[in-house]
Amino acid sequence: MAGLPRKLALRTAALLLAVRWYNIAFLSVAQGVFLWKLVQSNPDAWALSGGWPVAVLLLLITALLVSGGSLINNFYDAEHDLIHRPWRTLFERTVVRKYGIPLAFSFWFFGLGLAWHLGTRMGLFFAVYALLLWIYSHKRRTLQRGAHAVAAGLAFLPFLSCSLWLRTLPWNLLVYGLVLLLIETARQAAKAAQTDPEVRGYRESLSVLFLAAAAAVVSGAWWGQPGLILIGFPAGTAVAFLRYLERTSYANGVHEPVKAQHARNLDTFLKVYMVFSMGVLVFVL
């Protein structure tokens, strides 16, 4: 009995790591900020839609569905993860192997039940979202170039639930969301290149990041949105600098660990850049 609290604490920590609690926390904050901006653009829709109780339910539903998807991904990727991050995978396996699938379906059952409680429209949306998460978990190892875009799209579909609920989506937030979608696609490509330097994930990531920068600067200049321009310029500068480092390293006969390190550095930059972009949304856009 004396070791029960310690065992419970370890399993709770393993569960939090398995569901990627940090990703869920960031997604919840980002979804809340996006919802707040939507409300600012259409206060009447907020008054008619149920207010904060429904908003909290949307965040909770998203967190439950994404948690279930993460558990299923961990269950099917156990062998791959055991090679590339063995210690963390062994720690998570204390929960994932025995409780992963039952917990995932419990999260999905509870989340979809809450979604249907909000109405048929929201219930259908989140049912399709859960189905897409399930399909991605089964098929992502067989996907090639489209895998990064699919993963990014799944990460940003919850933002559309806010627009669907309030029935509003201003064009500037739509453009901003598309830019963030490209940034997340670039991050997914860089993430893949960390464990498999042979794939073209690093260069794909830089290409998509350049596309995000160009889209932000051009659309911001065209419609007079300084926030979008502010988002675009750091990304364009970073792409130019990282391409220079890449060419210099490869010219000197770069080794595989160095390639993986380039991808890790890019992934870290993109995480910080995503937070910066969210700050621009709050204070500038």
Side-chain angles (χ1 to χ4, degrees), residues 169-224:
L169 183 57
W171 68 265
N172 60 333
L173 288 182
L174 175 61
V175 173
Y176 174 83
L178 292 175
V179 170
L180 284 187
L181 178 63
L182 290 172
I183 296 172
E184 178 63 15
T185 303
R187 195 186 72 81
Q188 291 291 337
K191 181 180 175 182
Q194 294 179 46
T195 55
D196 189 2
E198 290 299 322
V199 302
R200 298 177 56 85
Y202 181 79
R203 291 187 177 180
E204 287 180 7
S205 180
L206 290 180
S207 299
V208 175
L209 184 58
F210 177 77
L211 181 60
V217 172
V218 171
S219 59
W222 183 264
W223 283 298

Side-chain angles (χ1 to χ4, degrees), residues 14-20 24 64-78 92 95-97 99-108 137:
L15 176 61
L16 289 173
L17 281 175
V19 300
R20 305 294 185 265
I24 294 173
L64 287 169
L65 296 184
V66 173
S67 297
S70 296
L71 285 172
I72 292 176
N73 285 342
N74 281 347
F75 183 83
Y76 285 108
D77 290 348
E92 292 175 357
V95 169
V96 172
R97 288 186 65 182
Y99 306 107
I101 297 298
L103 277 175
F105 281 105
S106 298
F107 289 156
W108 279 3
S137 299

Side-chain angles (χ1 to χ4, degrees), residues 12-148:
T12 302
L15 176 61
L16 289 173
L17 281 175
V19 300
R20 305 294 185 265
W21 68 268
Y22 39 85
N23 288 340
I24 294 173
F26 179 80
L27 179 59
S28 297
V29 171
Q31 193 178 5
V33 170
F34 189 77
L35 181 59
W36 172 53
K37 284 296 184 177
L38 286 175
V39 171
Q40 284 186 330
S41 69
N42 192 351
D44 294 335
W46 174 257
L48 296 173
S49 60
W52 284 111
V54 179
V56 172
L57 274 182
L58 282 177
L59 300 183
L60 179 59
I61 291 167
T62 301
L64 287 169
L65 296 184
V66 173
S67 297
S70 296
L71 285 172
I72 292 176
N73 285 342
N74 281 347
F75 183 83
Y76 285 108
D77 290 348
E79 293 184 5
H80 178 269
D81 292 340
L82 194 60
I83 297 173
H84 297 289
R85 47 183 184 89
W87 294 111
R88 176 171 166 174
T89 302
L90 287 172
F91 181 62
E92 292 175 357
R93 284 178 71 177
T94 58
V95 169
V96 172
R97 288 186 65 182
K98 189 173 182 181
Y99 306 107
I101 297 298
L103 277 175
F105 281 105
S106 298
F107 289 156
W108 279 3
F109 179 80
F110 187 44
L112 290 176
L114 293 175
W116 283 104
H117 177 71
L118 295 180
T120 304
R121 182 162 43 98
M122 302 308 299
L124 286 174
F125 176 87
F126 281 110
V128 171
Y129 182 56
L131 178 63
L132 292 175
L133 288 173
W134 173 261
I135 294 173
Y136 175 73
S137 299
H138 282 70
K139 299 295 184 181
R140 68 175 185 154
R141 289 295 170 193
T142 61
L143 295 174
Q144 298 298 325
R145 290 182 178 274
H148 313 316

Side-chain angles (χ1 to χ4, degrees), residues 218-231:
V218 171
S219 59
W222 183 264
W223 283 298
Q225 292 287 321
L228 289 170
I229 298 175
L230 185 60
I231 290 173

